[in-house]
Amino acid sequence: MVLKAFFPTCCASADSGLLVGRWVPEQSSAVVLAVVHFPFIPIQVKELLAQVQQASRVGVAVLGTWCHRRQESEESLGHFLEGLSAIFSHEPWLQLCRERGSKFWSCKATHRQVPASPGAPGQDQVMLIFYDQRKVLLSQLHPPAALPDHQAGDATASAGGLAAVFDTVARSEVLFRSDQFDEGPVRLSHWQSEGVEASILVELAKQASGPICLLLACLLSLISAASTSRVFKLWPLSFIWSKLSTCEQLRHRLGQLTLIFSTQKAENPAQLMRKANMLVSVFLDVALGLALLSWLHGKDRIGQLADALVPVADHVAEELQHLLQWLMGAPAGLKMNRALDQVLGRFFLYHIHLWINIIALLTFHIYCFYVYGARLYCMKICGLSSLWRLFRGKKWNVLRQRVDSCSYDLDQLFIGTLLFTILVFLLPTTALYYLVFTLLRLLVVTVQGLIHLLVDLVNSLPLYSLGLRLCRPYRLAAGVKFRVLEHEAGRPLRLLMQINPLPYSRVVHTYRLPSCGCHPKHSWGSLCRKLFFGELIYPWRQRGDKQD
Amino acid sequence: MYAQPVTNTKEARWQKILYERQPFPDNYVDRRFLEELRKNIYARKYQYWAVVFESSVVVQQLCSVCVFVVIWWYMDEGLLAPHWLFGTGLASSLIGYVLFDLIDGGEGRKKSRRTRWADLKSALVFITFTYGFSPVLKTLTESVSTDTIYAMSVFMLLGHLIFFDYGANAAIVSSTLSLNMAIFASVCLASRLPRSLHAFIMVTFAIQIFALWPMLQKKLKACTPRSYVGVTLLFAFSALGGLLSISAVGAILFALLLLSISCLCPFYLIRLQLFKENIHGPWDEAEIKEDLSRFLS
């Protein structure tokens, strides 16, 4: 059986001592967390380990010995180290030894009990895997989409084993809390932070963040309480609230801010990441808004924009007028009913004048036209379909939800057929108007949808996670890969564990923020069906709502 | 199992049953099988003149279409004043209405429980709607080319003739569809007329000739067959006369058509009946003769 020993790279140059870490029996791997240096008192070491175990709930124990030979004359040390296995009993007992220079390593794992088969020596084969303690401590392992790279033959650890390693290192953070300036009873060697003093500003900010959060949370709860008060629930206001996208956005952001400044501590890393993402998103939103505002205010751009927009609106209206006049002629040589054509054309032209005079809105007339056209077309299609059933002597049975044959009276038949004939001959004219205005409307809806999409993107993009992925790729780990450092006969296989960063697509997928827009998804088929039957495509309103 | 029938093969006679094992192959039948063959049990014997009499329904309908087209042509050419047609139509409708009740002594009216008030209402609805829509009808097909209108009308009138209820019990028959197609054709043709009054009167005339006239015919045929034959002959001759005033060739062709339908076709039907050879036997599909509707619900 191959025994895997995970060894932190920062301890490679440490003085001789004891290996402290955790033994994972399921994976038969030993995760070395730190090295205890000489001299030490065994009772103190045991006390320290007990403290760490209590604080981190990780089964930390002395795994074996570490021997770093700097001079030739340290033969006696080896014997002394071997004797230590009697004091700290562990099964198996790991003996790691580094020769002078970094070239030669030796590693043994001995079982003190008598092995089952007397012929075999009480030793296991050991595989030495180096890992960067800091990176593993800080990184967050994501459930791997694919297994780690199989670069070194059988030197693979299953996903569960890796998770155990990452979990062990992350949980025993207590062990690393002492920095290099601390003088405890036991000298340890492991990865160390730069020390508390190094970043006094950060510490100050940390201390101040609690009260600030409390204050802001109070303020926000006040605002949200005000916004949910009864005054805003009255009919016209609530209607306006639901229609204006600014209000939607404000509400969305308010919810986010409440979550950010809630005084509860984030329970797990995912929630922390979510909060950070929201914070960055809010900051970006504010920054973009301020940039736009300053751009608009600088050099009187609002005036320029207004000056530019009014001619555009006029131009759109003019173009519409031309289009209508074209439609009132004989567009594309189509057979149209002249009288209906003239009526429709004049009706729409009248509206252009009306809208130009009252509100110079950019596309409101198009929307109105679209609604009129769609309603007219829808009525026609419905009428035609039911009259076509009458024409064939059938009718729609509402109770059974099917078409039944029916005997009509003579006058019913006559009027139905008369109307049917009229509608059939008028259909092309209405359909053309409907088609043209639907296309215009679709154009406007597409532009609106693009803007919505942009806002949604700003709202839902996990910027903090992306930034983290860009600058500190090891913080978001998807898995690990191993690089072979040494592979010689008679010597332990030495591997270097490197962290595979999470792909950007998965970062976005995992940390996406919920966006405020809840657009009902429409398939293309249903959209085409709606277009054909002349139902309004936007704003999407369900038929059931209207009946209520 | 197998040895037992072998001993008495000679005694064992084949039976047309499935519930007993018999020493014969599955597809075996013996000589008695064809004894049950029957031929032409449902074939009817027709009398020539009876068939000719029945064919008069088709002749009548052909003549109706012909008269309608002729009248439309006269109107389109401006040879027929709309007032005159309206007056004639109104008078003949009134006469027909009176006859309709006189023929069977008002029994049909009692059976259908239709009041005179309902008749008046129907008539008012016709007149009002047609009159109200006639300006719309006038401009309706302005942009559609005349050829399209003619083709559409021809197809619609053909459909009217095909789907008309001549008394046959077939799936294709649909008097509703037939009437609707005729009205559609009349609206199409009426929209080509010079003025909206013309259109109004044309559509009214279409109602009279396609909806009301067949009803009267049916009643005439059922109650007074002799007068029905007379009416049919008169109607056919008047249609022929009208057609003759437009085109002699058309009139001759139409006369030949009518003759072949009323005389030649019955003759051929009876002749071809002799060659009929329908076989019936135990292999026929099962036919349920009893009324099983009480089990269904």
Side-chain angles (χ1 to χ4, degrees):
Chain A
M1 195 168 118
V2 179
L3 192 145
K4 284 165 273 187
F6 288 88
F7 191 77
T9 42
C10 53
C11 294
S13 57
D15 293 336
S16 303
L18 284 172
L19 295 174
V20 176
R22 184 188 171 202
W23 170 248
V24 187
E26 300 89 36
Q27 316 291 337
S28 77
S29 54
V31 184
V32 176
L33 295 172
V35 173
V36 181
H37 301 300
F38 295 113
F40 56 82
I41 303 163
I43 299 293
Q44 284 180 339
V45 173
K46 282 184 177 171
E47 272 176 10
L48 176 80
L49 290 183
Q51 280 172 12
V52 171
Q53 200 160 349
Q54 205 178 0
S56 65
R57 276 166 291 156
V58 178
V60 181
V62 175
L63 295 177
T65 56
W66 159 245
C67 168
H68 189 184
R69 285 171 218 261
R70 301 194 176 193
Q71 284 102 39
E72 292 288 340
S73 62
E74 285 189 15
E75 284 298 314
S76 58
L77 188 65
H79 297 294
F80 170 66
L81 288 174
E82 268 171 33
L84 280 173
S85 64
I87 304 171
F88 304 101
S89 54
H90 190 263
E91 193 66 29
W93 185 253
L94 216 65
Q95 280 175 302
L96 217 63
C97 201
R98 185 183 174 190
E99 304 293 332
R100 264 195 315 154
S102 63
K103 285 280 177 191
F104 307 109
W105 290 67
S106 69
C107 194
K108 282 190 288 182
T110 47
H111 293 271
R112 239 170 351 116
Q113 285 146 2
V114 183
S117 56
Q123 284 192 1
D124 282 332
Q125 230 183 326
V126 179
M127 193 161 69
L128 207 58
I129 300 168
F130 292 97
Y131 70 93
D132 191 328
Q133 204 164 29
R134 178 165 164 268
K135 287 186 178 176
V136 172
L137 171 68
L138 290 176
S139 83
Q140 194 189 343
L141 186 70
H142 291 75
L147 280 174
D149 295 354
H150 296 239
Q151 285 192 353
D154 60 343
T156 54
S158 69
L162 270 181
V165 172
F166 274 71
D167 186 51
T168 305
V169 178
R171 283 215 313 226
S172 47
E173 200 188 341
V174 190
L175 193 64
F176 313 128
R177 195 162 287 162
S178 59
D179 53 62
Q180 64 194 90
F181 305 104
D182 271 358
E183 284 294 333
V186 181
R187 278 205 307 132
L188 285 169
S189 179
H190 49 69
W191 170 71
Q192 284 166 330
S193 67
E194 298 297 310
V196 178
E197 296 84 21
S199 52
I200 197 158
L201 282 176
V202 173
E203 290 302 315
L204 272 178
K206 270 186 192 168
Q207 294 300 318
S209 66
I212 289 175
C213 275
L214 198 67
L215 190 72
L216 283 173
C218 287
L219 209 68
L220 284 169
S221 66
L222 210 69
I223 293 173
S224 54
S227 69
T228 52
S229 68
R230 192 167 286 182
V231 182
F232 295 99
K233 291 266 165 68
L234 292 175
W235 173 73
L237 276 176
S238 69
F239 182 72
I240 294 171
W241 279 163
S242 67
K243 284 296 164 216
L244 288 178
S245 54
T246 314
C247 293
E248 284 287 324
Q249 184 74 5
L250 270 180
R251 192 176 303 152
H252 181 60
R253 287 294 183 205
L254 193 65
Q256 281 192 345
L257 283 174
T258 320
L259 196 69
I260 290 172
F261 293 119
S262 68
T263 41
Q264 287 167 349
K265 211 167 152 46
E267 280 158 12
N268 46 17
Q271 213 171 356
L272 186 75
M273 197 71 86
R274 203 174 125 94
K275 275 191 174 184
N277 278 332
M278 279 183 185
L279 194 65
V280 174
S281 164
V282 169
F283 274 132
L284 182 81
D285 200 1
V286 171
L288 279 179
L290 284 179
L292 189 70
L293 207 67
S294 67
W295 184 79
L296 281 177
H297 270 289
K299 295 182 192 168
D300 191 29
R301 281 215 178 77
I302 291 185
Q304 289 174 9
L305 207 65
D307 289 346
L309 273 182
V310 169
V312 166
D314 282 347
H315 182 69
V316 169
E318 236 168 70
E319 285 296 319
L320 265 179
Q321 213 160 348
H322 285 308
L323 182 71
L324 282 173
Q325 265 151 11
W326 178 69
L327 281 176
M328 281 166 75
L334 285 169
K335 313 270 183 198
M336 308 237 297
N337 187 287
R338 195 179 45 79
L340 182 69
D341 193 33
Q342 293 292 325
V343 167
L344 283 178
R346 284 208 194 118
F347 177 72
F348 288 135
L349 271 182
Y350 170 70
H351 265 72
I352 287 184
H353 294 301
L354 209 64
W355 286 121
I356 289 173
N357 293 340
I358 297 173
I359 323 159
L361 280 181
L362 270 174
T363 58
F364 199 68
H365 33 33
I366 295 180
Y367 178 66
C368 284
F369 291 171
Y370 168 69
V371 171
Y372 299 144
R375 283 272 166 255
L376 212 61
Y377 180 77
C378 184
M379 262 156 48
K380 266 209 172 151
I381 288 284
C382 287
L384 265 181
S385 66
S386 66
L387 286 174
W388 169 241
R389 284 195 286 270
L390 179 133
F391 192 81
R392 292 176 304 149
K394 305 274 172 72
K395 74 166 181 187
W396 177 253
N397 190 333
V398 186
L399 294 179
R400 298 194 177 184
Q401 295 286 308
R402 64 172 192 198
V403 175
D404 279 348
S405 61
C406 169
S407 64
Y408 289 98
D409 284 346
L410 200 59
D411 39 359
Q412 284 173 338
L413 277 184
F414 170 69
I415 292 166
T417 311
L418 202 66
L419 288 176
F420 177 76
T421 317
I422 292 169
L423 285 186
V424 161
F425 284 108
L426 292 187
L427 183 68
T429 315
T430 341
L432 188 74
Y433 272 84
Y434 171 69
L435 184 75
V436 169
F437 289 125
T438 304
L439 287 182
L440 281 178
R441 178 69 193 149
L442 277 180
L443 199 74
V444 173
V445 165
T446 313
V447 171
Q448 275 182 353
L450 281 180
I451 292 173
H452 262 282
L453 216 64
L454 204 69
V455 171
D456 255 20
L457 198 72
V458 171
N459 275 352
S460 67
L461 206 64
L463 286 163
Y464 178 71
S465 304
L466 284 176
L468 211 60
R469 168 67 183 80
L470 192 70
C471 303
R472 299 268 187 282
Y474 58 84
R475 288 290 296 273
L476 303 168
V480 296
K481 63 184 173 201
F482 296 100
R483 194 157 64 82
V484 180
L485 288 179
E486 186 187 51
H487 187 32
E488 282 177 42
R491 288 194 177 276
L493 176 69
R494 281 199 293 141
L495 302 171
L496 182 68
M497 187 168 86
Q498 287 168 331
I499 292 174
N500 269 347
L502 203 65
Y504 282 103
S505 56
R506 280 196 66 209
V507 171
V508 173
H509 181 77
T510 316
Y511 293 108
R512 206 152 52 97
L513 294 173
S515 60
C516 61
C518 47
H519 305 302
K521 295 286 174 206
H522 275 258
S523 66
W524 288 105
S526 77
L527 185 69
C528 289
R529 209 187 131 271
K530 277 193 161 182
L531 283 181
F532 181 75
F533 287 109
E535 287 172 34
L536 293 185
I537 48 166
Y538 187 88
W540 288 288
R541 192 193 282 173
Q542 302 296 322
R543 272 203 172 159
D545 298 351
K546 232 177 355 183
Q547 284 164 359
D548 298 340
Chain B
M1 197 72 193
Y2 204 75
Q4 193 252 339
V6 172
T7 52
N8 49 3
T9 312
K10 286 190 180 137
E11 290 115 79
R13 286 195 64 192
W14 178 73
Q15 286 177 291
K16 202 173 74 175
I17 50 175
L18 288 174
Y19 50 82
E20 271 181 19
R21 189 171 284 279
Q22 301 184 66
F24 301 103
D26 283 352
N27 56 353
Y28 177 83
V29 288
D30 72 354
R31 227 176 278 159
R32 289 169 297 149
F33 187 70
L34 281 182
E35 282 174 9
E36 293 175 55
L37 177 71
R38 303 272 181 279
K39 273 187 183 176
N40 291 341
I41 49 173
Y42 297 122
R44 287 198 230 160
K45 295 270 182 226
Y46 291 115
Q47 299 290 323
Y48 179 74
W49 288 110
V51 179
V52 171
F53 176 72
E54 290 296 329
S55 75
S56 60
V57 188
V58 185
V59 171
Q60 282 267 13
Q61 215 49 43
L62 277 173
C63 289
S64 292
V65 171
C66 177
V67 165
F68 177 75
V69 173
V70 166
I71 294 282
W72 175 81
W73 190 83
Y74 273 117
M75 294 271 279
D76 199 28
E77 293 289 309
L79 300 173
L80 186 67
H83 304 94
W84 190 83
L85 177 64
F86 186 64
T88 320
L90 201 63
S92 49
S93 292
L94 283 176
I95 293 169
Y97 185 68
V98 173
L99 270 181
F100 192 77
D101 278 354
L102 278 184
I103 289 169
D104 60 353
E107 267 180 37
R109 179 169 292 279
K110 270 181 213 153
K111 215 178 271 174
S112 65
R113 291 183 187 173
R114 192 175 162 82
T115 55
R116 286 183 198 284
W117 170 240
D119 290 344
L120 188 68
K121 216 163 64 178
S122 284
L124 269 178
V125 165
F126 284 141
I127 303 275
T128 322
F129 270 83
T130 322
Y131 193 74
F133 276 118
S134 55
V136 179
L137 297 184
K138 180 68 201 62
T139 59
L140 193 61
T141 61
E142 245 178 20
S143 57
V144 185
S145 84
T146 311
D147 292 343
T148 314
I149 292 291
Y150 287 168
M152 216 186 289
S153 309
V154 166
F155 277 117
M156 287 290 159
L157 287 175
L158 272 180
H160 166 73
L161 287 175
I162 288 168
F163 293 113
F164 189 79
D165 183 13
Y166 296 111
N169 187 17
I172 197 173
V173 171
S174 164
S175 53
T176 314
L177 184 58
S178 154
L179 178 64
N180 284 333
M181 285 178 117
I183 293 173
F184 192 97
S186 70
V187 170
C188 283
L189 286 179
S191 69
R192 289 285 119 172
L193 290 177
R195 280 174 52 210
S196 54
L197 183 66
H198 288 70
F200 161 62
I201 287 169
M202 201 66 223
V203 174
T204 320
F205 180 66
I207 293 288
Q208 288 164 351
I209 202 161
F210 289 123
L212 304 177
W213 176 228
M215 285 161 76
L216 182 63
Q217 278 177 34
K218 206 177 256 179
K219 205 159 241 185
L220 271 178
K221 192 182 158 199
C223 300
T224 55
R226 288 188 184 196
S227 62
Y228 176 68
V229 172
V231 166
T232 307
L233 281 176
L234 199 68
F235 194 50
F237 277 121
S238 57
L240 270 175
L243 201 55
L244 193 65
S245 68
I246 296 171
S247 127
V249 181
I252 291 167
L253 285 177
F254 188 65
L256 284 178
L257 179 70
L258 289 188
L259 270 181
S260 64
I261 282 178
S262 59
C263 305
L264 231 85
C265 287
F267 177 70
Y268 262 103
L269 177 71
I270 289 166
R271 278 293 301 277
L272 292 175
Q273 201 76 0
L274 297 178
F275 302 108
K276 195 164 187 166
E277 207 156 354
N278 278 3
I279 57 171
H280 298 272
W283 51 83
D284 279 0
E285 286 170 17
E287 211 171 309
I288 299 165
K289 298 217 167 100
E290 213 176 329
D291 182 21
L292 294 179
S293 57
R294 65 204 155 95
F295 294 115
L296 291 176
S297 56

